[in-house]
Amino acid sequence: MSTQMVEVDPRGMDGPVGEIPGCKPARALRLADKVLGAVSEVPAALLVVAEVGVLFSGVLSRYVLRTPLVWVDELASLLFIWLIMLGSAVAFRRGSHMRMTALVDKAGPQWRGVFELVATVAALTWLALVAGAAYEFASEEAFVTMPALDISNAWRAAALPVGIALILLMSVVRLLSTASRRAALVALVACGAVVGVLVGLQPVLQGLGNANLVVFFVGIVGLLVFAGVPIAFSFGLATFGYLSLTTSTPTIVVIGRMDEGMSHLILLAVPLFVFLGVLIEMTSMARAMVQFLANLLGHIRGGLSYVLIGAMYLVSGISGAKAADMAAVAPALFPEMKKRGADDGDMVALLAATGAQTETVPPSLVLITIGSVTGISIADLFTAGLLPGVVLALMLGLVVWWRARKAGAPCNARASRTMVGKSLLVALPALALPFVIRAAVVEGVATATEVSTIGIVYAIVVGLLVYRKFDVRQIWPALVDTAALSGAILLIIGTATGMAWSLTQSGFSGDLAAAMAKLPGGAAAFIAVSIVAFVLLGSVLEGIPAIVLFGPLLFPIARQLGIHDVHYSMIVVLAMGIGLFAPPFGVGYYAACAISRIRPSEGVRHVWRYMASLIAGTVVVAAVPWISTGFLPH
């Protein structure tokens, strides 16, 4: 999954309202911030619990009681859109919406404050522009009835205007609390001037035709993203501007496309797998797996590096979220690696590389996203994703072997068979979970959405009865964190869907298909260009928004060239993973550094050899389709 590291700064986009020297927020603003936080966090956390209960009851009623509950999907969908919008509000208040901070981080304190002000005003502008359209959309949905629940669809659609209104209020509170009146007024006037200039240029823009795609979706999106504006709001502003200034499309379409993009029920797996990852760490299941692998391989030269590769593969098969994977493995393994003389930079470089290596290991959130936007079977993607991860693990293993041999790393004492056996017995319940999840999907016990609830229940039972580690006090913060991360991810999917629809309606997709289909070299050239393109996209946009934007455009071309959908999916995901975890722009790399508490500069000189091996592994996967499709049902 996509990851993001953001330093918390109470003066800007990166956190709730705080104290500022010389500009202390008024008591009313602090109170408003707390009220908005409670109004969004409490129901968002409860909605995560409700979704687990609703979906798990659906599995029990259908598979155990043989009496399906026909209203489960509708109720889950209704609750889901509310979870997305309230979670987005929580993420906005916390400053955890995904954004590119490479330039912001390099700026001095004064310019950083300017960037943060720009980000706040940009978000406020988009929210103000779409608020009316969101209300209109919800009003029209009042005439639609949900067949199973027999209630108006307005109960569901109302989440959009309510969520937008909440975030709009939060942005106003933040602006008033974190900037002087003069600065806030200047920022708002400047923003109004930019909007006014664009409106004045409307006749010129309408005459540019498809050149507007470059203006809005390259120029404006690029400026906003590199200025530190959250990706979701950057996409939303560009799409709204393009549709309202260069076409006759009603702006309510923007909200309709957002709703469509976020409403795929398969995406409900995102918050549930994120929550499952938290449970895995809390119950010490990840620690048990790491300990077993350390006892099994720790005596080999460079053995704990192999353990890191293997542990990330196993944990990735449980949580589906890269931040959760790294947070589960690194604290359990790095202290022992340091004792055995491992270099800090090499450890964090390998951790980042394993994050990219395991992007295809189910239940990857990127695979779930691909399935939702392309219609490819999630079960097929889950089945296909295992072997490519093994291929890349072997490539990383070769680098570890070569480095350990060259450096003359010492061998450590071999753990006794008794110790290995005991650690295996302790780890077995944890090791079984990835196989339980996969078997439940493949055997039809649960859908790819529902299977996460089986994993959650399994983790709770194992944590209570086997590992006897289940801190109830951590549950509430975990639920709120889950809602915030899910809202941040899914709002990007919503706004990216609107952008992708605009690109399609403009005819750009047809032109792109024609150009890509005419590449000399046919399918091989198309795959090579796709790898390069998605490495770049992964570093700038991260995996999920990139696949939502370009998946609907490129997958039909791949199909036309005779490339298997699942094979192409594996290539795309691996390429995006490399971009996501490769410095200087890959935010996954900085997340690995933050989790490891190691400075980014220490890992840069080591990470390239690992990234080169991952690129080589991706080429092998691309050249041998059987690696991706060999185990698919025929």
Side-chain angles (χ1 to χ4, degrees):
M1 122 172 223
S2 310
T3 53
Q4 168 79 327
M5 185 192 75
V6 182
E7 294 181 1
V8 176
D9 182 349
R11 294 172 297 177
M13 283 291 294
D14 295 331
V17 175
E19 302 280 349
I20 302 174
C23 185
K24 185 177 181 180
R27 181 178 301 175
L29 289 174
R30 292 201 301 270
L31 178 61
D33 178 66
K34 290 180 180 179
V35 170
L36 290 171
V39 167
S40 55
E41 288 182 4
V42 173
L46 293 176
L47 282 168
V48 176
V49 177
E51 289 287 24
V52 173
V54 168
L55 290 177
F56 190 67
S57 66
V59 175
L60 289 177
S61 64
R62 185 182 64 250
Y63 192 76
V64 178
L65 304 178
R66 305 294 182 180
T67 54
L69 301 175
V70 295
W71 46 264
V72 164
D73 284 353
E74 280 189 6
L75 180 58
S77 177
L78 186 154
L79 298 176
F80 185 38
I81 194 70
W82 280 96
L83 172 59
I84 293 170
M85 297 310 298
L86 293 175
S88 297
V90 176
F92 184 87
R93 182 173 179 270
R94 293 180 165 200
S96 55
H97 274 282
M98 297 178 187
R99 60 189 188 130
M100 237 271 281
T101 59
L103 293 181
V104 177
D105 290 341
K106 291 180 180 178
Q110 185 175 358
W111 277 105
R112 191 176 300 172
V114 172
F115 279 123
E116 300 294 357
L117 186 59
V118 168
T120 301
V121 172
L124 191 155
T125 303
W126 178 72
L127 293 162
L129 289 172
V130 299
Y135 177 78
E136 183 182 353
F137 175 79
S139 300
E140 290 192 1
E141 290 297 304
F143 299 103
V144 179
T145 300
M146 303 177 77
L149 294 174
D150 194 27
I151 60 174
S152 170
N153 199 47
W155 286 99
R156 178 188 165 281
L160 291 158
V162 170
I164 287 171
L166 267 177
I167 305 173
L168 180 60
L169 289 173
M170 289 176 179
S171 65
V172 171
V173 169
R174 174 172 292 161
L175 182 64
L176 295 176
S177 304
T178 59
S180 65
R181 292 181 181 179
R182 181 179 178 183
L185 182 61
V186 169
L188 290 172
V189 169
C191 180
V194 170
V195 172
V197 168
L198 288 174
V199 171
L201 290 174
Q202 186 173 8
V204 177
L205 293 172
Q206 289 178 337
L208 293 179
N210 276 354
N212 283 308
L213 299 177
V214 177
V215 173
F216 286 92
F217 298 137
V218 176
I220 292 179
V221 168
L223 285 173
L224 292 172
V225 168
F226 281 99
V229 178
I231 292 172
F233 302 125
S234 300
F235 286 179
L237 272 170
T239 304
F240 188 93
Y242 171 77
L243 291 177
S244 60
L245 295 175
T246 69
T247 73
S248 58
T249 305
T251 53
I252 191 176
V253 173
V254 176
I255 302 299
R257 298 287 74 77
M258 277 182 58
D259 177 67
E260 180 184 345
M262 297 185 297
S263 295
H264 289 291
L265 199 58
I266 188 64
L267 292 176
L268 184 49
V270 172
L272 300 183
F273 274 122
V274 169
F275 184 55
L276 176 58
V278 175
L279 291 177
I280 296 309
E281 183 182 1
M282 185 178 16
T283 56
S284 295
M285 293 174 72
R287 185 178 295 274
M289 286 188 287
V290 169
Q291 187 59 54
F292 163 65
L293 292 173
N295 288 339
L296 185 67
L297 301 173
H299 62 282
I300 302 173
R301 198 186 299 269
L304 291 186
S305 294
Y306 298 119
V307 171
L308 176 57
I309 296 170
M312 281 293 290
Y313 186 94
L314 289 173
V315 173
S316 181
I318 297 173
S319 72
K322 286 293 155 279
D325 300 344
M326 293 187 293
V329 171
L333 191 57
F334 277 18
E336 184 62 26
M337 292 181 73
K338 288 182 179 180
K339 286 181 185 178
R340 300 189 184 190
D343 179 82
D344 281 356
D346 189 63
M347 286 193 304
V348 75
L350 182 57
L351 179 65
T354 56
Q357 166 227 331
T358 54
E359 282 283 66
T360 64
V361 179
S364 164
L365 300 184
V366 180
L367 291 184
I368 294 170
T369 305
I370 286 178
S372 73
V373 300
T374 63
I376 301 171
S377 165
I378 301 295
D380 285 353
L381 291 171
F382 278 13
T383 301
L386 293 169
L387 197 52
V390 172
V391 171
L392 266 64
L394 292 174
M395 299 302 294
L396 290 177
L398 285 175
V399 176
V400 169
W401 172 82
W402 174 77
R403 289 203 71 249
R405 186 167 177 238
K406 182 179 179 182
C411 295
N412 293 280
R414 180 193 292 266
S416 67
R417 291 184 179 181
T418 301
M419 188 178 295
V420 173
K422 285 182 178 179
S423 61
L424 173 59
L425 286 175
V426 172
L428 273 178
L431 293 170
L433 182 52
F435 300 98
V436 170
I437 288 174
R438 181 181 177 277
V441 174
V442 174
E443 299 299 325
V445 176
T447 66
T449 304
E450 296 168 335
V451 74
S452 53
T453 64
I454 294 177
I456 289 169
V457 173
Y458 180 93
I460 293 173
V461 172
V462 169
L464 288 171
L465 301 182
V466 179
Y467 297 108
R468 299 182 183 278
K469 288 190 177 182
F470 195 85
D471 190 349
V472 178
R473 293 171 298 180
Q474 296 182 33
I475 293 295
W476 185 259
L479 291 170
V480 177
D481 290 346
T482 296
L485 178 57
S486 304
I489 292 172
L490 292 162
L491 188 63
I492 289 177
I493 291 178
T495 54
T497 300
M499 187 187 295
W501 182 85
S502 301
L503 290 170
T504 302
Q505 294 302 305
S506 70
F508 171 76
S509 58
D511 297 339
L512 178 65
M516 295 286 277
K518 291 178 182 177
L519 283 172
F526 176 77
I527 288 175
V529 171
S530 295
I531 290 174
V532 174
F534 277 101
V535 167
L536 296 175
L537 288 169
S539 67
V540 176
L541 295 181
E542 305 188 36
I544 289 175
I547 199 61
V548 174
L549 274 176
F550 293 95
L553 304 180
L554 297 181
F555 273 80
I557 304 172
R559 207 172 294 129
Q560 179 183 336
L561 293 172
I563 304 169
H564 196 289
D565 283 345
V566 173
H567 180 214
Y568 189 62
S569 299
M570 297 303 115
I571 297 168
V572 164
V573 173
L574 293 176
M576 287 190 302
I578 293 170
L580 176 63
F581 285 90
F585 296 118
V587 293
Y589 172 74
Y590 299 105
C593 293
I595 289 167
S596 308
R597 299 184 180 181
I598 295 172
R599 290 193 302 274
S601 58
E602 294 188 43
V604 168
R605 65 189 181 91
H606 298 280
V607 76
W608 296 110
R609 61 172 68 93
Y610 294 118
M611 290 299 160
S613 72
L614 292 178
I615 292 173
T618 302
V619 171
V620 171
V621 172
V624 185
W626 181 88
I627 295 173
S628 303
T629 61
F631 293 99
L632 295 181
H634 296 290

